[in-house]
Amino acid sequence: MLLGTSPWAIANSVSINVFAIPSQPIIDLMQRTSDALKLQGLTSFYAQGKPVHVTLYLTEYERGSEAAIKRIVAKIAQQQQAFAITAEGFTVSKGNWAFINVAHSAALQKLADEVVLALSPLRDKSAALPNWAKSYPNKVLAFKRYGSPNVLQNFQPHLTLLANESSPQLTRFKQHMQVQPPAAQGQIIGIGIGI
């Protein structure tokens, strides 16, 4: 697998997202869905130029740990072979985040778990629990142990389209997506690091 990086800055901390990079059919699905969102006046992350990805492990680290993280992720990427994934369905969370769902698979779970277990010792143990996770005991426990509420048994692979969207057009779009849900077959072909 290849290793890629992208710059994502979050003020006053080093938040690092280690993510799986999908193949072109999944990217094409994100483009088609983003184009449909644009017709509703909604601008997806993809339309903003953000890379299409499945987050494996997103947490905060102390400044200066980036080189060690990159070395660990590069080693995992060198040992990893491409594997099949399916993107299908559309979900809107309570907080109006919009996703294309990625089917859970043993290979994707194994990769996410390997990344979490390899990198979690380096995480910033003083990082604050996200407010949205406080009402989910299983996510609080995962955060305390690994620095992220969405790891191991809480891993829910997806492709993020929108975050905290306030437009009423999202409800109309969600109804359309239930009639004609997005779907594509592809592969995970690389691992990326976003800072």
Side-chain angles (χ1 to χ4, degrees):
M1 291 188 121
L2 64 103
L3 174 67
T5 60
S6 67
W8 289 342
I10 296 182
N12 300 326
S13 68
V14 177
S15 182
I16 297 179
N17 184 6
V18 178
F19 54 86
I21 301 169
S23 61
Q24 197 61 47
I26 304 299
I27 294 169
D28 293 344
L29 176 66
M30 284 292 282
Q31 180 176 1
R32 289 190 304 272
T33 308
S34 292
D35 290 347
L37 281 165
K38 189 174 184 177
L39 293 174
Q40 299 297 320
L42 302 168
T43 304
S44 72
F45 287 132
Y46 176 83
Q48 295 172 34
K50 306 288 189 214
V52 177
H53 68 278
V54 177
T55 294
L56 301 171
Y57 185 45
L58 172 60
T59 193
E60 293 184 32
Y61 298 87
E62 292 183 17
R63 294 189 184 278
S65 60
E66 298 89 345
I69 292 164
K70 191 171 182 178
R71 279 192 303 275
I72 291 167
V73 173
K75 184 176 179 181
I76 293 170
Q78 288 171 352
Q79 299 170 0
Q80 184 67 48
Q81 299 295 316
F83 58 87
I85 62 164
T86 301
E88 59 184 353
F90 181 81
T91 298
V92 177
S93 73
K94 291 178 186 178
N96 287 330
W97 287 61
F99 307 107
I100 293 176
N101 306 322
V102 174
H104 190 274
S105 72
L108 191 53
Q109 181 75 55
K110 181 178 181 275
L111 178 59
D113 292 353
E114 184 177 0
V115 168
V116 169
L117 296 174
L119 293 177
S120 63
L122 300 176
R123 70 182 176 84
D124 179 357
K125 292 171 182 64
S126 67
L129 174 70
N131 285 333
W132 67 265
K134 291 178 180 176
S135 56
Y136 301 95
N138 59 331
K139 291 187 179 281
V140 171
L141 185 61
F143 184 85
K144 286 180 180 177
R145 188 158 186 194
Y146 300 104
S148 175
N150 296 320
V151 296
L152 303 177
Q153 73 275 10
N154 298 327
F155 179 58
Q156 297 174 309
H158 59 272
L159 306 163
T160 305
L161 291 159
L162 303 166
N164 299 315
E165 182 56 55
S166 59
S167 171
Q169 294 299 99
L170 182 57
T171 301
R172 182 177 297 144
F173 188 78
K174 180 181 174 184
Q175 292 167 346
H176 171 71
M177 288 288 104
Q178 290 173 339
V179 174
Q180 196 171 22
Q185 301 286 324
Q187 292 185 311
I188 294 300
I189 58 169
I191 301 173
I193 302 170
I195 298 174

